[in-house]
Amino acid sequence: DTGVSQDPRHKITKRGQNVTFRCDPISEHNRLYWYRQTLGQGPEFLTYFQNEAQLEKSRLLSDRFSAERPKGSFSTLEIQRTEQGDSAMYLCASSFWGGTAYDNEQFFGPGTRLTVL
Amino acid sequence: GESVGLHLPTLSVQEGDNSIINCAYSNSASDYFIWYKQESGKGPQFIIDIRSNMDKRQGQRVTVLLNKTVKHLSLQIAATQPGDSAVYFCAETANNDMRFGAGTRLTVKP
């Protein structure tokens, strides 16, 4: 257990429905990342926050995806009008950013596996 | 046993043997590299890292080698154990932006 938790662990939904995932990072970490991972592939970056500010979004993050970190602690990732191609594992990671990538170890949560029928 | 990363995503070794997992990275500007281990049903877990000003770094039973000339990274695991069975990913970082490779599945036979 890395100290990063995600909820739910599994979500099955029908195409067209909206889903929301939650990530609780390690409490002293100021950065929070969202990734998407499909079977056999490495995690693909979606977006990250430093405190409550969303600093970068991947072009993979279509208009149907939105992420928030309102108080700089937990974060939510919402997918609207889900499509079958959204089926994947959604991973959250947190880190303490001290100014360089060298000391920015990311700790990953267990992920939320989304299946869109 | 040895893999060639994307071209051979599965590596099977005998318990006690050494394993070598390879990764070809894409960005010549990458200056920091990390190996992650991902077990079934879990998120990736940090194993070892290396900066671009180094060509070798050792941890406990693991060694990472970096060849910037050919943009190649390898992870060596000594005396591979059943608990080492997992998917291993390399990640490269350029301008504080981290990207993962596709991974290699390591299976350890008893």
Side-chain angles (χ1 to χ4, degrees), chain A residues 9 37 40 42 45 101-102 105 109, chain B residues 32 38 41 43 46 51 89 101-102:
Chain A
R9 294 291 308 276
Q37 185 177 28
F45 169 78
Y102 306 141
E105 180 181 342
Chain B
Y32 180 52
Q38 187 173 23
F46 175 96
R51 301 187 189 190
F89 295 98

Side-chain angles (χ1 to χ4, degrees), chain A:
Chain A
D1 184 1
T2 63
V4 179
S5 60
Q6 292 187 245
D7 183 69
R9 294 291 308 276
H10 303 274
K11 178 70 177 179
I12 300 174
T13 191
K14 293 182 179 180
R15 189 176 53 187
Q17 297 295 305
N18 299 342
V19 295
T20 300
F21 309 140
R22 177 179 170 123
C23 172
D24 286 273
I26 294 171
S27 59
E28 60 267 28
H29 283 181
N30 53 7
R31 282 201 172 180
L32 186 147
Y33 303 79
W34 284 100
Y35 293 85
R36 181 174 69 187
Q37 185 177 28
T38 53
L39 197 62
Q41 300 298 312
E44 297 175 293
F45 169 78
L46 293 178
T47 188
Y48 85 91
F49 294 83
Q50 179 148 323
N51 300 312
E52 64 275 8
Q54 189 172 16
L55 295 189
E56 186 179 346
K57 292 191 290 185
S58 162
R59 63 180 183 278
L60 294 175
L61 211 67
S62 76
D63 292 344
R64 297 184 298 104
F65 288 69
S66 62
E68 295 182 342
R69 194 184 184 199
K71 298 181 181 178
S73 56
F74 74 92
S75 176
T76 57
L77 177 69
E78 181 183 15
I79 308 174
Q80 296 182 325
R81 304 181 303 282
T82 53
E83 302 172 355
Q84 287 184 327
D86 297 331
S87 294
M89 176 76 83
Y90 290 85
L91 291 164
C92 172
S94 72
S95 71
F96 183 78
W97 175 256
T100 73
Y102 306 141
D103 300 308
N104 186 45
E105 180 181 342
Q106 295 185 27
F107 293 81
F108 284 82
T112 294
R113 180 167 296 285
L114 173 66
T115 302
V116 182
L117 302 176

